[in-house]
Structure formats: structure tokens, C-alpha cells
Amino acid sequence: MTALPIISVIIPVYNVEEYLGKCLDSVINQTYTNLEIICIDDGSPDNCGAILDEYAKKDSRIIVIHQENAGVSAARNRGLDIAKGEYIAFADADDWLEPACYELAVKEFENDSDIDLVSWGVNIISLRQDKNNEYQSTKKWYTYPFSGKQKLTENLCSRISSVPWRVLFKSQYLKELNLRFLNYKLSEDTLFFYSYMSKVNYIYFIEQELYNYVLRPNSAMEKLGPINNFQYAISTFVLAVKEIIDFYNRKNDISFCNEFIFKRFKGNILYALNYTTPQNKSFAIEKLEEFASFLDDEYDWGKEINWIRNKEFYRFKQLKIPYFSTGNNFFGFQIYRTENPHAVLRFCGLKISINYQKIFFLKNDYWKNHKVINILGLRFKFSRTKKFKENIKSLPQKIIYIGSCYKGDTKFKVIRICGITIKHKLLNNSQKGEHQLNMQTDGRLIANIIQKNIATLFLHQRNFAHYKNIYQNKSIVVCGAGPTLSYLKQLPNCIHIGVNRTFLNKNIKFNYLFCQDWRGIKHIQNEFINYLGDDCIKFLGTQNGVTNVEIPESFAIKCNAKRFNTDNEFFPNGKFALDISVNPFGNFHTIVLTALQFALYTNPKRIFIAGCDNVPTGHFNNLNESNEQKHIQRELQKQFHKGLDRDWIKFKEFVNLYYPETEIFSINPVGLKGLFKDVYTKAYFDANPELFNNEKVIFVEDLLSNETNTSAEFLTC
């Protein structure tokens, strides 16, 4: 009696005679030999059928089935019908495997009965011409930030790809669920894979690249993908999502389905919109509406789905639909109200596009009692306490003004041009030459400042506009590098933001990292680059006026990081940025306040501040210098913390003024004690009982124990 095989390998074959031999050799020569190799010749018009028959004569483990062409799904389903193995593997006939692939996978199943699926790394090989961007995006998608045994969560489920050839399935689960591939030529594996996830508790991820995936010219993926066949790609994708929702509805587990569809599929369909053309725009709108109609009405799907349901398609910049339009291509005007609002002027074949906030906007000044008006790029401030006539009279002086003013006993010459004010101390005759030189220097400085801030506008519009209000009703934890951070562990249902070296804390997985000090991370740059892969979004910034800390652009590219700018000479220190999509971050003594400006911009329900031990006896006391050097250092720290204390008071005033509904908590506060609402971790309380003297404390764990929010979603741009 012949023993049953442990693994059934199913290989659909169609028109790949150039690659087939290498694929078969890689399976036959696996170090794990207890296999049956089921090859389905799907009516291949080339010499594939004959090649399969020759291999079957040489190896009794190979089973060849010849059938009329019915597509890859039908071929895989035919293989499933006859497979006898305890585990099921799939391979594509134009790819190949490394020799130890199946041995390593089976070993993980045998070592741990909790494992329900094993996945391995993928090596991408592109044979296509001029497809470097496609290669990079494909490699990024198939590179997982996971390794080893992982419990299945909605976030993990949404992050892994649905391709069947990089995993080993349990045959028992496939039979219990009666899983089959959909009869599509694209997205055919989506329902199969994500239905199997309903049986999975733990996945084991093997880091080694054990499967070689070939991007070849004229493959089905290339022909039918959104770049070359937008309508087919988006249609099959929408149908596959509907099938998944129906499956989980039948299992009464729609909540799990909602979570990973939000993270996985909503982004996919919005990405596909990048390939819309004027010819298929109406078709794209139809499919967006169809996609939204499947989704659970009780779940918060975010702004994009609300736009679809409200038929506000002009908000999708990929569709290029104007919010307002008049005239024609010869003479016309259009306004586009998307995340990058702009106006388009058309005149005699000329097309001029401009951000319409540069044409006109009106807002309140952050700190003073003024209105700010921007007209065609010119910025004017008017006092809200003055009467209208007084403000109108002062308008010409705001455009150009030459006068003088006193500061103490010193007299200054004042020149104001389009809102930019230049002050010069009046000098005696012997200093006039120096004064003239200063005027020339200041002119170059002003030009440089204007250039920098135009660059900031475009940079921040691209990197931050889409974060506005995304974490409403959520909680955010912002972590500094102080010693009290060691008492904190991951807080449930919270977004975690770290700064500089805080990512070295193993108790917390950060969703975002902010860094602007090259000295602090250049010795651990590899750890920073590899930290959590795409599951952590990294922001690298400038630190104007401080030498030897500028982060190189080459490092930002390696990190796949977004850049940000802090205050420079044109935006004086000491002001928090209310709208970081157009303005630089306020530049303070600590980058924690930069991270907090970002956190407030997302408009959360509450913010927890941890590891901000802002006193000289906090995380600045680890000095090895002499007593004299320590004394000097302590005096410098005192001065530093005077400024730091003022910064935190300004931050509290800023929050009270612009975000009064956002609660601010200090976790294990030291220098910040009493400034915000104080809470403690139980670990810190147990380790430092002498600090409390029987005072009543609030534990952050108790505060969050009744948290009703579902797992916080995490946005990837």
C-alpha cells in the first residue's frame, strides 16, 4: 500500500515552455521529498504538454492532467479535486523555488500545532523593460515586516498578500470550507485566501526568500492589470470583495471582515483610480458606487467612502473632476476641491494651474488678535480691534512702507515690502559702509527665506494634508526618550508616536517616528531603517541653525521617510503650527513638541505624553565628566529647562485655545507633573512607592480598561 503524500503541489501550466523546465526541476529537487506534483496542462498551445509528459516518465510523483483551456482558476480547482496531501502548495509554472522551501515550511507545522499557515519570503525577478517603479512597488508589497510566529489580527491580515504560491495550506481546512478559486483571470485568489483566514489563529513567517517570482513580459498580470486593462481589473476586484463580504456574513463574523477590508481593500481601489482616463471615468465612478454599496453601513469607513456615498466624486483628485466649471477650453475657469485644492485657468490653449489658497484666503492669526489675508501670494495682517476704515487706511503701508521706530534708546529704520519687515539700526557716518553691506546681505537672505517657505508649502502639502482629522475619537501616545518610558508598554487601541531613539524600546511598536537629529541616530541607522518596515511611517526633519545635525537626503531615501521643515528665520521660534499642511513645524527645545503638533493636527480624542522627564535630574544626568564639567553642564541644563518649561506652558495654552476638546495626559510625569492630567503605570507606581506618600493616583491601565474603540486604524501614504 502506497503511503499518502504529505504535500500536494499544484502547478497550472499555460504557454510557458521557456520557463517550465526550471520550475519543475526546482520542485522535483526539493529536500523534502514526500510530495505529489499535480501539473494541469490548461490547453497550452505551445510545447508544455509534451514537456510535462516527459517529466512524468522520469518521476513517478508527477501527475499530468491535460484539459481544454479554462483558465488558471479552473486548473487549480482541478488540482484540488484530486490532491491527497496533508498540506497543499501552489506554484506558478514560470517561477521556481529554493531547494529547502517545503522542508522548512513542514518543519514549522510539525514543531507547533497552533500554526495554521506558513508563509515564506519572495525574491522578485523582473524581465520587463523600463519597469523599475513596478519592480520596486512589487518588491515592497511582497516584503513583510513580520517574522516567526504571529497571531492573526485584522492589521496583519490586511497587510499580507493573497497569492497562493508563497504559503502552505492545511488541506483539512480547505475541505471544511469547500474553498475554490473564482473563475476570474485577475483577483481570482482573493476570496480563496481570505476565506481561509477565517480558520487561522497563528501564522509562521519564514524570512528567507524561498520563492522566485518572475515578472515577465505579456503575463496575465501585466495584460489585465489596472495599467493596461483598467475596466477588467477594477471589475474583478470589486466582485472579489463582494464575495469575501458575503462569505463572512454567512459566518456571522462581519466585524473581522470590516477591519481588514478597511486596511487592505479600500486602499487598493483608491490606488487603482490612478489609472483612470477621461474615457473610463464614468466607469470608475460606477464601480466606486458598487464597491461602497457592499460595505457595512454601521462601520466607519472614513472620508473617501462618505464621498462616494454622497456622490462627491470631485474630491478624488485622480478622477480630475472640477467642483466648479465655467467656459470651455478656449476661455474657461475650473476649481478642483480635492486634498490639493487648485484652480485651472484656460485661455487660447494655455492652461495655468494654481493652488487657490494662493489666490485668496482669510484666517485668524494664531496668537494675536489679527486677521490674516492672502491675496495672490501677498500676506497682510489686520488688527481685529481696529475699525474697518483704519485698517483700509493702513493697507498701502502693508504693501510698501519706509519709516522708523524706537526700541529702548535705539532708533531703527523700518522697511516693509509686501508684508516682510526689515529693521536696521541707524548708524553713524563711519558705519555706513557696513550698513550698505548688511542691506545687500539681508536682501539675499529674504530671497532665500521666501524660496525656503515656498518649498515648505509644497513639501508639507504633499506629506501632511491627508492626515488632517484622521484620528478623531482615537487616542494617541507621544513618547520621549526619558527613563520613565521603560515603565510603559503598548497601550491598547492607541496610535503610538516616537521620537529619535525611542524606537529602541522593545515594549512599544510605534506607528510613527519623528527625528531631526542626525547625531542621535547615525550610529544606529540600520536599526532605524529596518524598524517595522512599512508598518512604521518615519518623518525626518530639519533643525535650522544647529550644525552637524542635518539628516542626509540619502538616508531619508533609504528609510522611505517623509521630510518636514521646522521654523526658520521667516517664522520665528515660539509659535506652534496650527496647519502643518502649509506651515513648518514650530521649532522648540524638544522634538516631542514637533510630534505633538502632528498629533493635534489629526484631532484625536486624547493624547498621552510619556517619557518626557524634563528636569536636570531626568535623562540628562548620565554624565561621566569631572565635577567641574558636571557643574557647568548642570548650569547649562537649568538654562535649557527654563526654555523647555516655557515651551510646555505655550503648548498648554495652544491646546486650550485651538483644541479644547482634546484631553492631554502625562504618564509617569516628572518635570511635567501638574501641568496636564497626571496618570501612572502600575509598574512605575510599584517601583517608586516613596514618590506618592499615600496620594490617590489614576492608573492609565484602568483609564483604558473600558475603552470601547475598536483597533485604531493606521494610514500608509
Side-chain angles (χ1 to χ4, degrees):
M1 182 176 179
T2 305
L4 293 177
I6 297 298
I7 301 178
S8 296
V9 185
I10 299 173
I11 308 174
V13 180
Y14 181 81
N15 205 25
V16 287
E17 63 175 329
E18 181 181 349
Y19 311 96
L20 181 56
K22 188 169 187 176
C23 174
L24 292 174
D25 288 337
S26 72
V27 178
I28 291 169
N29 295 319
Q30 286 290 299
T31 55
Y32 191 86
T33 59
N34 194 355
L35 313 172
E36 67 171 353
I37 305 167
I38 304 172
C39 301
I40 313 297
D41 172 21
D42 189 35
S44 187
D46 59 4
N47 200 36
C48 284
I51 294 173
L52 290 174
D53 291 337
E54 284 297 318
Y55 270 85
K57 292 176 183 178
K58 299 175 184 177
D59 194 319
S60 61
R61 297 175 300 172
I62 296 178
I63 302 169
V64 178
I65 297 176
H66 300 280
Q67 65 178 30
E68 292 185 4
N69 180 249
V72 65
S73 293
R76 286 173 177 162
N77 290 337
R78 183 77 179 274
L80 286 170
D81 290 337
I82 65 171
K84 301 182 181 64
E86 183 179 348
Y87 305 107
I88 302 294
F90 295 91
D92 284 353
D94 49 356
D95 303 331
W96 75 92
L97 294 84
E98 296 301 320
C101 181
Y102 294 145
E103 180 181 4
L104 293 173
V106 170
K107 179 181 177 182
E108 299 306 333
F109 275 123
E110 293 175 345
N111 287 344
D112 190 340
S113 60
D114 288 342
I115 301 299
D116 299 309
L117 188 74
V118 176
S119 179
W120 45 77
V122 178
N123 177 38
I124 310 298
I125 299 157
S126 180
L127 303 180
R128 299 173 185 170
Q129 298 295 322
D130 301 323
K131 296 287 185 178
N132 187 54
N133 290 338
E134 180 194 29
Y135 168 78
Q136 293 296 339
S137 61
T138 304
K139 185 173 181 62
K140 184 177 179 181
W141 173 240
Y142 287 125
T143 302
Y144 294 159
F146 317 111
S147 62
K149 182 179 178 180
Q150 299 286 336
K151 183 171 177 58
L152 183 70
T153 62
E154 293 92 340
N155 183 57
L156 187 148
C157 187
S158 67
R159 179 62 182 85
I160 56 180
S161 54
S162 60
V163 290
W165 38 257
R166 73 172 304 174
V167 294
L168 194 58
F169 298 95
K170 283 186 174 181
S171 178
Q172 172 191 350
Y173 291 169
L174 298 180
K175 292 175 181 177
E176 289 176 7
L177 295 167
N178 192 28
L179 291 186
R180 288 294 183 269
F181 289 91
L182 295 174
N183 191 26
Y184 307 151
K185 296 179 180 178
L186 204 66
S187 300
E188 79 288 345
D189 47 19
T190 306
L191 174 65
F192 185 93
F193 186 85
Y194 287 109
S195 298
Y196 185 90
M197 290 296 107
S198 68
K199 301 289 289 185
V200 172
N201 290 310
Y202 290 93
I203 303 177
Y204 193 94
F205 293 94
I206 301 172
E207 288 189 86
Q208 294 103 302
E209 295 177 346
L210 301 177
Y211 190 93
N212 298 282
Y213 174 51
V214 179
L215 292 172
R216 61 184 178 88
N218 301 317
S219 66
M221 183 64 72
E222 184 177 41
K223 290 179 181 178
L224 302 175
I227 298 175
N228 296 315
N229 198 330
F230 175 83
Q231 293 195 9
Y232 185 84
I234 198 171
S235 295
T236 54
F237 174 77
V238 169
L239 289 173
V241 172
K242 182 181 185 302
E243 295 281 357
I244 292 172
I245 292 173
D246 290 344
F247 173 86
Y248 278 93
N249 268 322
R250 291 193 296 270
K251 291 180 64 66
N252 295 318
D253 194 10
I254 195 63
S255 61
F256 178 86
C257 181
N258 284 344
E259 286 295 333
F260 77 74
I261 282 181
F262 178 87
K263 296 180 177 71
R264 169 75 162 83
F265 297 127
K266 190 185 80 166
N268 275 35
I269 199 164
L270 297 178
Y271 166 77
L273 291 182
N274 292 320
Y275 301 103
T276 52
T277 63
Q279 292 74 27
N280 62 34
K281 188 177 297 184
S282 60
F283 180 84
I285 292 173
E286 176 188 334
K287 289 302 171 183
L288 285 173
E289 292 183 311
E290 186 179 350
F291 177 77
S293 70
F294 301 149
L295 304 179
D296 182 6
D297 291 336
E298 301 299 321
Y299 186 80
D300 181 10
W301 295 101
K303 60 185 178 182
E304 291 90 353
I305 301 303
N306 289 333
W307 293 347
I308 297 170
R309 288 173 170 167
N310 295 332
K311 298 187 181 298
E312 297 176 343
F313 297 104
Y314 60 84
R315 293 187 180 275
F316 293 98
K317 61 183 178 182
Q318 302 97 323
L319 294 176
K320 299 179 182 178
I321 298 174
Y323 170 70
F324 173 80
S325 181
T326 184
N328 50 48
N329 286 338
F330 182 77
F331 182 76
F333 179 76
Q334 297 170 318
I335 293 179
Y336 293 84
R337 202 172 83 184
T338 64
E339 290 182 350
N340 180 27
H342 62 283
V344 174
L345 308 176
R346 298 180 185 273
F347 179 72
C348 297
L350 297 176
K351 177 182 175 183
I352 303 172
S353 179
I354 185 171
N355 184 309
Y356 67 62
Q357 287 192 359
K358 292 182 181 180
I359 300 174
F360 176 84
F361 75 80
L362 174 68
K363 65 179 181 179
N364 293 326
D365 183 71
Y366 300 161
W367 296 102
K368 298 180 181 178
N369 199 18
H370 285 79
K371 284 283 187 182
V372 178
I373 301 176
N374 196 78
I375 304 173
L376 293 175
L378 303 182
R379 183 174 180 269
F380 305 106
K381 288 175 66 176
F382 294 97
S383 172
R384 298 171 66 183
T385 59
K386 289 183 179 180
K387 294 181 180 180
F388 178 76
K389 288 183 179 180
E390 294 174 328
N391 278 323
I392 291 298
K393 287 181 180 179
S394 67
L395 179 60
Q397 292 187 355
K398 293 180 182 296
I399 299 174
I400 183 165
Y401 167 77
I402 300 176
S404 60
C405 70
Y406 282 91
K407 186 174 182 180
D409 295 331
T410 305
K411 188 176 182 180
F412 290 86
K413 190 80 170 179
V414 179
I415 301 173
R416 184 182 297 120
I417 303 173
C418 294
I420 299 176
T421 300
I422 307 168
K423 286 183 181 180
H424 281 281
K425 182 178 178 181
L426 291 178
L427 307 172
N428 56 39
N429 290 334
S430 63
Q431 296 173 312
K432 286 184 178 179
E434 181 183 347
H435 176 74
Q436 184 177 7
L437 179 62
N438 287 338
M439 288 289 289
Q440 294 174 353
T441 303
D442 286 345
R444 290 193 296 270
L445 177 63
I446 292 169
N448 187 40
I449 290 170
I450 293 173
Q451 182 181 9
K452 283 182 180 179
N453 286 281
I454 291 174
T456 296
L457 172 66
F458 287 107
L459 176 71
H460 282 220
Q461 186 73 204
R462 181 173 67 250
N463 288 343
F464 294 105
H466 52 283
Y467 287 105
K468 187 173 182 61
N469 299 328
I470 65 165
Y471 292 135
Q472 287 181 337
N473 300 319
K474 303 295 182 184
S475 295
I476 293 179
V477 186
V478 177
C479 299
T484 61
L485 187 65
S486 62
Y487 296 99
L488 180 69
K489 293 185 178 180
Q490 194 91 8
L491 296 183
N493 306 320
C494 293
I495 302 298
H496 290 73
I497 302 176
V499 300
N500 292 342
R501 299 168 62 91
T502 54
F503 73 95
L504 298 175
N505 185 307
K506 301 302 182 183
N507 293 327
I508 302 172
K509 289 187 177 180
F510 292 102
N511 303 107
Y512 303 92
L513 283 177
F514 279 80
C515 180
Q516 63 182 23
D517 185 357
W518 180 235
R519 292 173 303 186
I521 63 167
K522 67 179 179 180
H523 299 301
I524 52 170
Q525 53 185 290
N526 289 333
E527 292 91 332
F528 189 88
I529 291 170
N530 296 324
Y531 181 71
L532 291 185
D534 294 332
D535 270 10
C536 178
I537 296 177
K538 303 176 179 74
F539 293 100
L540 301 179
T542 60
Q543 195 167 358
N544 292 297
V546 183
T547 59
N548 301 322
V549 299
E550 186 69 24
I551 298 175
E553 183 65 25
S554 59
F555 180 72
I557 293 171
K558 289 179 182 178
C559 294
N560 193 25
K562 301 177 185 294
R563 300 309 298 261
F564 68 87
N565 288 340
T566 50
D567 283 334
N568 53 34
E569 298 87 350
F570 192 56
F571 292 90
N573 289 347
K575 289 188 178 181
F576 288 89
L578 183 63
D579 186 357
I580 60 173
S581 69
V582 294
N583 291 328
F585 287 89
N587 198 357
F588 296 92
H589 292 81
T590 170
I591 193 175
V592 173
L593 288 171
T594 300
L596 284 167
Q597 290 173 74
F598 170 78
L600 286 171
Y601 183 70
T602 68
N603 199 16
K605 176 182 177 182
R606 58 195 174 197
I607 296 175
F608 295 98
I609 303 171
C612 295
D613 308 330
N614 301 304
V615 293
T617 55
H619 61 286
F620 300 100
N621 65 346
N622 297 319
L623 302 172
N624 296 316
E625 294 90 348
S626 66
N627 290 333
E628 182 180 356
Q629 289 173 322
K630 288 182 179 180
H631 174 74
I632 294 171
Q633 186 66 31
R634 278 194 293 270
E635 291 302 314
L636 290 173
Q637 288 168 1
K638 288 178 183 178
Q639 296 301 317
F640 175 84
H641 284 292
K642 284 181 181 178
L644 196 59
D645 292 341
R646 288 194 296 269
D647 292 345
W648 283 104
I649 292 170
K650 287 180 182 178
F651 173 71
K652 184 176 181 179
E653 293 172 350
F654 178 75
V655 173
N656 292 341
L657 181 62
Y658 291 103
Y659 296 93
E661 296 181 359
T662 300
E663 294 182 283
I664 308 293
F665 295 85
S666 293
I667 299 178
N668 303 330
V670 182
L672 299 183
K673 187 173 183 179
L675 189 60
F676 306 108
K677 297 178 181 179
D678 296 338
V679 294
Y680 296 87
T681 61
K682 293 179 180 178
Y684 182 78
F685 180 84
D686 292 340
N688 302 279
E690 71 281 358
L691 298 179
F692 296 95
N693 295 323
N694 297 320
E695 68 177 283
K696 186 177 180 180
V697 300
I698 299 173
F699 292 119
V700 66
E701 294 90 345
D702 295 338
L703 186 67
L704 293 171
S705 62
N706 296 322
E707 180 68 54
T708 57
N709 288 345
T710 56
S711 297
E713 66 266 24
F714 175 45
L715 183 70
T716 330
C717 305

